Amino acid sequence: MIALLLAVPLLGTPQQEIASLLDEFLAKVDDVAMHDRFWADDLVYVSNKGEVRTKANILTSMGAAGQKPGESNATYSAEEVKIRPLGEGVAVLNFRLFQHAGDKTNYFRNSGTLVKRNGRWQVVSWQATREEPAAPKN
């Protein structure tokens, strides 16, 4: 009985699983396979420009860009991450995204709804809003 219990991987809380998924996504943001994993097939994505995109749109645009994993000029990180489970297999994610491109940093507020299907979390709805840089203090 103990051997059986040890053979089953320990599952984390929804917060831990989603935080880990977000970290992996931000580390591999230029990887088409990561996007295929992160976004659900029925995704509705609203960009910071108000454009509505689907998973197919995102994957197609990545392929058209011809970018290979690891070629991105930008890196990404998240702060103020809040993950709120809403029920069995549904959670909302909110965070502040930092896009580091050379000596410039862009800021975004992102929110997403994730569902757990077939044992894995995926994003079904996403909203990205560009955050204007703070005005210099005098």
Side-chain angles (χ1 to χ4, degrees):
M1 180 70 153
I2 293 174
L4 179 61
L5 291 175
L6 294 176
V8 176
L10 295 176
L11 300 177
T13 66
Q15 293 93 329
Q16 291 167 327
E17 292 173 358
I18 293 168
S20 177
L21 176 62
L22 177 62
D23 288 343
E24 182 181 5
F25 178 74
L26 294 177
K28 298 178 179 178
V29 76
D30 58 340
D31 183 351
V32 174
M34 186 70 238
H35 281 265
D36 188 44
R37 159 71 185 92
F38 191 74
W39 308 117
D41 290 341
D42 55 344
L43 170 72
V44 176
Y45 181 109
V46 181
S47 76
N48 63 4
K49 296 177 183 175
E51 300 166 341
V52 178
R53 303 181 77 199
T54 64
K55 177 179 179 174
N57 297 142
I58 292 169
L59 297 179
T60 299
S61 68
M62 290 184 76
Q67 189 167 347
K68 304 215 179 351
E71 283 186 354
S72 179
N73 294 332
T75 59
Y76 298 85
S77 60
E79 289 187 2
E80 301 173 33
V81 177
K82 295 180 180 76
I83 300 163
R84 295 175 183 88
L86 299 179
E88 187 67 31
V90 179
V92 173
L93 166 67
N94 301 97
F95 65 99
R96 186 176 190 209
L97 176 72
F98 295 81
Q99 177 192 46
H100 312 280
D103 60 350
K104 184 175 182 182
T105 301
N106 297 305
Y107 306 93
F108 300 88
R109 294 288 177 166
N110 289 308
S111 62
T113 303
L114 292 92
V115 295
K116 192 169 190 176
R117 297 176 178 154
N118 300 318
R120 65 184 194 167
W121 290 99
Q122 286 190 301
V123 177
V124 294
S125 179
W126 196 263
Q127 172 72 47
T129 304
R130 182 183 279 286
E131 185 180 304
E132 294 303 318
K137 295 181 182 178
N138 295 338

